[in-house]
Amino acid sequence: MRRVTLRCAARLVFAALWLLVEVCRAESVAPSLAERVIWAVNAGGDAHTDVHGIYYRKDPLEGKLGKASDYGIRLPILRSSPEDQVLYQTERYNEDTFGYEIPIREEGDYILVMKYAEVYFAQSQQKVFDVRLNGHVVVKDLDIFDRVGHSTAHDEIVPFSIKRGKLSVHGEVSTFNGKLTAEFVKGYYDNPKICALYVMKGKLEDVPKLQPHPGLEKREEEEEEEDDGEGGESEKKSASTAPKNPVRSGPRTPNPYATDNSSLMFPILVAFGVFIPTLFCLCRL
């Protein structure tokens, strides 16, 4: 009887330790950024693998819809690494609304990253358009030059989630049928366009940030100082005249829970919960 009890106790302890090892292994071997990207396209250009290992396929709309342009290939693109400037130098545009269909088979939290650079117009209000995601307007009145200037990389980042057959984005919910449609909507000023885009699983803090732009940072600091120095009616006025779409080229602060290891405590508690009663029973034998 005592041998049988010892064998059972040993098996329980072994199972608890094995569970602990598996959880630690799962935590340490998290998927890379490239592995979390489920779909990526270099609009208007050829296939490309960026510095993060993300593989952008050749534009599937080539010869089907819109026009491809490599006008920006002659320009250096600020805020982008030299290896990935091609993602901002080529583009696809159309004289009417156009878009891409992205198949998504699994539920979860996702991020849509759209890459832009204004390589033709040299002032604002020359190219302005909206972006829709399955009919939801996720970017309103996008004026690339007004956001970052000429030949400068700019990423529009849109988080969304798919759960129980529903798409949730920007506080709006709609039925999801397995396909995400990203549309670039024709406006009053010129034609809509896109340079590159990808969809990845994850949160905002998982998206790589573009290189800093001193001009943009200085402008933002000046706006903050003006807001701090004004009060009462001036504050209301500045709030009403502030740009509706501030620069969003990636998350500014890291996720404070990115390094949270609290999930590791559960298997440890399980191991102790199994070991202590077993030890108590052995002592009574």
Side-chain angles (χ1 to χ4, degrees), residues 7 28 52 84 87 90 123 134 152 236 245 253 265 285:
R7 287 179 183 177
S28 61
H52 304 287
D84 293 336
L87 294 173
T90 63
Q123 60 182 7
N134 283 30
T152 302
K236 295 179 181 180
N245 297 303
T253 57
M265 292 300 298
L285 293 177

Side-chain angles (χ1 to χ4, degrees), residues 117-189:
E118 182 53 69
V119 296
Y120 185 77
F121 293 111
Q123 60 182 7
S124 59
Q125 295 295 308
Q126 298 299 302
K127 181 186 289 291
V128 183
F129 58 94
D130 296 345
V131 179
R132 290 194 303 234
L133 208 58
N134 283 30
H136 304 280
V137 177
V138 294
V139 181
K140 182 69 175 175
D141 296 331
L142 176 59
D143 187 334
I144 305 165
F145 185 91
D146 185 62
R147 298 283 185 90
V148 295
H150 192 266
S151 61
T152 302
H154 173 64
D155 288 357
E156 284 289 337
I157 302 170
V158 180
F160 65 94
S161 64
I162 298 172
K163 295 180 181 178
R164 299 180 181 178
K166 299 291 184 180
L167 167 68
S168 300
V169 58
H170 285 191
E172 300 178 0
V173 181
S174 63
T175 302
F176 185 71
N177 61 1
K179 289 185 178 180
L180 187 75
T181 303
E183 291 182 299
F184 310 98
V185 185
K186 171 73 174 180
Y188 292 107
Y189 301 101

Side-chain angles (χ1 to χ4, degrees), residues 13-275:
V13 173
F14 176 78
L17 292 176
W18 178 82
L19 178 62
L20 175 61
V21 171
E22 288 298 317
V23 171
C24 292
R25 183 183 301 173
E27 291 286 339
S28 61
V29 187
S32 65
L33 175 64
E35 292 172 336
R36 282 180 285 175
V37 173
I38 65 170
W39 188 92
V41 161
N42 181 21
D46 295 325
H48 175 76
T49 301
D50 72 5
V51 295
H52 304 287
I54 300 175
Y55 175 75
Y56 294 79
R57 56 189 285 209
K58 183 178 179 179
D59 195 340
L61 295 184
E62 182 64 34
K64 298 178 182 178
L65 181 64
K67 298 178 182 179
S69 172
D70 62 354
Y71 183 84
I73 207 74
R74 70 194 74 181
L75 300 171
I77 305 298
L78 300 176
R79 304 184 76 195
S80 173
S81 61
E83 298 87 350
D84 293 336
Q85 292 196 8
V86 66
L87 294 173
Y88 299 92
Q89 292 169 329
T90 63
E91 63 185 53
R92 178 164 297 279
Y93 67 92
N94 193 35
E95 295 178 356
D96 201 353
T97 298
F98 75 104
Y100 294 83
E101 286 191 348
I102 306 164
I104 299 180
R105 299 179 178 85
E106 297 181 1
E107 295 187 346
D109 296 318
Y110 292 88
I111 302 290
L112 169 65
V113 179
M114 297 170 286
K115 296 181 175 294
Y116 295 99
E118 182 53 69
V119 296
Y120 185 77
F121 293 111
Q123 60 182 7
S124 59
Q125 295 295 308
Q126 298 299 302
K127 181 186 289 291
V128 183
F129 58 94
D130 296 345
V131 179
R132 290 194 303 234
L133 208 58
N134 283 30
H136 304 280
V137 177
V138 294
V139 181
K140 182 69 175 175
D141 296 331
L142 176 59
D143 187 334
I144 305 165
F145 185 91
D146 185 62
R147 298 283 185 90
V148 295
H150 192 266
S151 61
T152 302
H154 173 64
D155 288 357
E156 284 289 337
I157 302 170
V158 180
F160 65 94
S161 64
I162 298 172
K163 295 180 181 178
R164 299 180 181 178
K166 299 291 184 180
L167 167 68
S168 300
V169 58
H170 285 191
E172 300 178 0
V173 181
S174 63
T175 302
F176 185 71
N177 61 1
K179 289 185 178 180
L180 187 75
T181 303
E183 291 182 299
F184 310 98
V185 185
K186 171 73 174 180
Y188 292 107
Y189 301 101
D190 201 64
N191 303 312
K193 76 170 191 176
I194 181 68
C195 294
L197 68 164
Y198 67 84
V199 174
M200 63 171 285
K201 267 195 166 185
K203 303 287 187 178
L204 279 173
E205 56 268 18
D206 300 326
V207 180
K209 293 188 291 185
L210 291 172
Q211 296 177 5
H213 189 300
L216 292 177
E217 293 178 354
K218 183 177 180 181
R219 184 174 67 180
E220 291 174 354
E221 290 177 358
E222 290 176 351
E223 291 177 353
E224 291 178 358
E225 290 177 357
E226 290 178 0
D227 291 341
D228 292 340
E230 295 177 355
E233 295 297 326
S234 298
E235 282 188 351
K236 295 179 181 180
K237 184 177 180 180
S238 62
S240 62
T241 57
K244 297 180 180 179
N245 297 303
V247 175
R248 288 177 295 175
S249 295
R252 293 170 178 263
T253 57
N255 180 15
Y257 306 105
T259 57
D260 185 10
N261 295 322
S262 59
S263 60
L264 294 176
M265 292 300 298
F266 177 74
I268 294 174
L269 293 175
V270 171
F272 275 107
V274 172
F275 178 74

Side-chain angles (χ1 to χ4, degrees), residues 1-13 282:
M1 181 68 182
R2 186 170 184 177
R3 289 183 179 179
V4 174
T5 305
L6 288 173
R7 287 179 183 177
C8 293
R11 288 176 181 176
L12 290 173
V13 173
L282 292 176

